[in-house]
Amino acid sequence: MLFSNALIGLREGLEAVLVVSILVAFLVRTDRRRALAHVWLGVAVAVALSVALGAVLTYTAATLSFEAQEAFGGIASIIAVTFVTGMIFWMRRAGRTLAAQLRGQLDEALQLGPVAVATVAFLSVAREGMETAVFFFSSVQSAGGGTVLPLVGFLIGIAISILLGWLLYAGAIKVNLSKFFTVTGVLLVFVAAGVFAYGVHDL
């Protein structure tokens, strides 16, 4: 339980951190640091929305009857597995061109204004954040809940992802990201399989 949720936090968190680092690095290297505030605003809103989604899912599940909880948890689990497995395969295809796409989108947004810049940052992070919120919720439900271990594991994974992202940005370490995402993707598929089994069982 602790490991699987730490893996979710690490994998999904690092994807989001790398997206942010690409946007920040582009602005710094092109000497457009004034737009950094707009990027961070978009990121903050995306993170807040993801946390809110997780809270809404948890609150909704807690207020339902037992039968409704089973149906709600089952549907959420299958949706989460669909999101995560889809993202894993999408990353394998688009990973090599993702940085160029983000730079291109941000360059166009800079010509449109601050709102466009914040929107690019928001959309880039919100996709990861909302997917993570649904998957984490489903993982906790499949584990039976009633303990803080899933949250502890998840926060550990997020903390490690932020540290790794900062070290990579600073050039302090070098990581074969292709191999990293391949290995964590395989492990995440096993976690997703467990969540999927839980969802089908509940339904």
Side-chain angles (χ1 to χ4, degrees), residues 33-43 110 113-115 117-119 121-122:
R33 295 172 182 266
R34 286 181 297 179
L36 284 173
H38 309 308
V39 167
W40 288 119
L41 175 61
V43 171
L110 285 164
V115 175
V117 173
T119 300
F122 168 79

Side-chain angles (χ1 to χ4, degrees), residues 8-26 39-40 43 46-47 91 98-99 102 121-129 132 154-170 173 177 180-181:
I8 294 171
L10 175 60
R11 162 78 188 218
E12 302 296 324
L14 188 58
E15 286 183 9
V17 169
L18 289 175
V19 166
V20 175
S21 67
I22 289 170
L23 298 177
V24 170
F26 176 74
V39 167
W40 288 119
V43 171
V47 171
M91 277 293 290
L98 181 60
L102 287 171
F122 168 79
L123 294 176
S124 300
V125 176
R127 179 179 57 190
E128 297 287 346
T132 303
F154 180 72
L155 292 177
I156 289 173
I158 290 291
I160 294 174
S161 71
I162 293 173
L163 177 61
L164 283 176
W166 182 81
L167 291 173
L168 286 168
Y169 178 81
I173 61 171
L177 291 175
F180 172 85
F181 283 122

Side-chain angles (χ1 to χ4, degrees), residues 96-185:
R96 294 181 180 179
T97 60
L98 181 60
Q101 291 176 2
L102 287 171
R103 294 188 193 106
Q105 291 171 0
L106 187 56
D107 191 42
E108 293 177 3
L110 285 164
Q111 299 174 35
L112 296 175
V115 175
V117 173
T119 300
V120 168
F122 168 79
L123 294 176
S124 300
V125 176
R127 179 179 57 190
E128 297 287 346
M130 295 179 72
E131 170 197 313
T132 303
V134 176
F135 193 42
F136 174 66
F137 166 78
S138 301
S139 176
V140 172
Q141 294 298 305
S142 67
T147 174
V148 298
L149 283 180
L151 180 60
V152 171
F154 180 72
L155 292 177
I156 289 173
I158 290 291
I160 294 174
S161 71
I162 293 173
L163 177 61
L164 283 176
W166 182 81
L167 291 173
L168 286 168
Y169 178 81
I173 61 171
K174 290 185 178 180
V175 176
N176 187 327
L177 291 175
S178 177
K179 186 173 293 185
F180 172 85
F181 283 122
T182 298
V183 173
T184 55

Side-chain angles (χ1 to χ4, degrees), residues 51-84:
V51 172
L53 176 60
V56 168
L57 290 172
T58 302
Y59 175 77
T60 301
T63 57
L64 296 175
S65 65
F66 177 76
E67 291 80 5
Q69 283 184 3
E70 296 286 291
F72 183 77
I75 293 171
S77 297
I78 292 175
I79 291 173
V81 170
T82 302
F83 282 168
V84 170

